[in-house]
Amino acid sequence: MGKIRISIMLITIQAVEERRNHVDLMCHTLLPHKPVVYYDKLRKSPLNAFYNMLDIQQYQNEYRLHMQDDVIFNNRLVRYLPYVLKDMKERDMHVLTLFTPNRKLPKEQLSKGLKYGVFPNYLWLQATIFSTKFINIMREVRDEKGEYTKHDDVFVQDCLKRSKIQAYCHLPSIVQHHIKLGSVVGNANSKRRMSDIYDTNYITNYLENEA
């Protein structure tokens, strides 16, 4: 198939200072992309940081990969992303998580050979691609709601429901939750927070077959 060139992608990383070493590793792995790293200095809440990151400017019709600072991924992820963006554009997808958590429905969809599954109860913001359209929707809802007591992923879920936009998940998961870093919001470092359908070799195998 050759090289795929589709759209421009902005990559953002939501981070805290104590994970700077891992963030530096993420940035190196994402080269030649240069992610915009937002270090949360206020530490008011993850949602407050996410709110602020919505104001990071991007081009019209550009996709944004929003990542958190506690993820692991294949070192060829950047080479694979254009294929994902092409699919999103062709299928009119506006929200796609690359981290697919342990849920019954995604596992069932994966067993049927699907590459993208519907994700009706969106949760987790480890690595999610948003269209410009959906970024604008989230900005509007944020400005309307103001202070918001729920978690950042629940805020995204509310925006999905309000806009009647469907979220999707990548099958298998191509991003893993790095629980050894520990939680900054007090969550237990349980393997239940990891994806059990993460395939570290999926991207490598895909690119070799497409070459």
Side-chain angles (χ1 to χ4, degrees), residues 30 65 67 71-85 96-101 110 115-116 126-129 169-177 195-206:
L30 291 167
L65 171 56
M67 308 184 83
V71 294
I72 304 168
F73 47 89
N74 186 289
N75 60 12
R76 300 173 79 182
L77 175 65
V78 166
R79 290 184 57 189
Y80 176 65
L81 287 175
Y83 295 93
V84 177
L85 298 187
L96 173 69
T97 177
L98 305 182
F99 170 75
T100 304
L110 177 61
K115 181 178 179 181
Y116 303 107
Q126 265 58 44
T128 303
I129 300 176
C169 56
H170 191 288
L171 301 169
S173 181
I174 54 173
V175 169
Q176 183 61 287
H177 200 172
S195 173
D196 58 5
I197 57 172
Y198 171 63
D199 188 344
T200 186
N201 295 315
Y202 176 86
I203 290 175
T204 298
N205 294 335
Y206 184 94

Side-chain angles (χ1 to χ4, degrees), residues 2-192:
K3 291 185 178 180
I4 295 291
R5 297 183 182 275
I6 186 76
S7 190
I8 303 171
M9 167 164 274
L10 171 69
I11 301 178
T12 59
I13 300 176
Q14 183 174 337
V16 292
E17 183 61 38
E18 56 263 40
R19 290 178 175 167
R20 184 176 286 272
N21 288 342
H22 184 67
V23 172
D24 288 345
L25 177 61
M26 290 172 63
C27 290
H28 178 75
T29 307
L30 291 167
L31 288 173
H33 274 277
K34 294 183 179 180
V36 177
V37 181
Y38 179 91
Y39 280 100
D40 182 10
K41 298 185 183 302
L42 294 178
R43 304 297 285 268
K44 184 177 179 181
S45 70
L47 176 61
N48 179 257
F50 184 72
Y51 266 9
N52 293 335
M53 292 182 72
L54 290 177
D55 289 327
I56 296 173
Q57 294 301 308
Q58 64 189 79
Y59 295 106
Q60 188 65 25
N61 300 322
E62 182 180 41
Y63 292 92
R64 177 186 302 199
L65 171 56
H66 174 85
M67 308 184 83
Q68 294 186 338
D69 59 2
D70 58 352
V71 294
I72 304 168
F73 47 89
N74 186 289
N75 60 12
R76 300 173 79 182
L77 175 65
V78 166
R79 290 184 57 189
Y80 176 65
L81 287 175
Y83 295 93
V84 177
L85 298 187
K86 180 175 182 292
D87 289 341
M88 290 185 70
K89 186 173 182 180
E90 291 178 349
R91 303 180 188 206
D92 195 31
M93 293 191 289
H94 295 278
V95 178
L96 173 69
T97 177
L98 305 182
F99 170 75
T100 304
N102 300 331
R103 295 290 187 274
K104 180 180 179 181
L105 181 58
K107 291 178 183 179
E108 291 177 347
Q109 293 174 125
L110 177 61
S111 69
K112 295 177 182 178
L114 297 180
K115 181 178 179 181
Y116 303 107
V118 295
F119 195 26
N121 295 313
Y122 176 90
L123 288 172
W124 306 81
L125 269 171
Q126 265 58 44
T128 303
I129 300 176
F130 299 113
S131 69
T132 299
K133 175 181 177 178
F134 196 74
I135 290 289
N136 289 334
I137 289 171
M138 290 192 290
R139 287 171 177 164
E140 291 172 2
V141 176
R142 173 202 63 185
D143 293 345
E144 178 184 321
K145 283 183 173 291
E147 290 295 324
Y148 193 78
T149 58
K150 298 180 182 178
H151 295 294
D152 46 5
D153 53 357
V154 178
F155 167 75
V156 174
Q157 186 182 111
D158 285 350
C159 292
L160 287 164
K161 291 178 180 177
R162 176 179 292 213
S163 61
K164 298 182 179 179
I165 287 177
Q166 175 66 63
Y168 295 86
C169 56
H170 191 288
L171 301 169
S173 181
I174 54 173
V175 169
Q176 183 61 287
H177 200 172
H178 192 352
I179 63 170
K180 289 184 179 180
L181 290 177
S183 172
V184 297
V185 292
N187 291 325
N189 293 337
S190 168
K191 289 186 176 181
R192 288 181 295 180

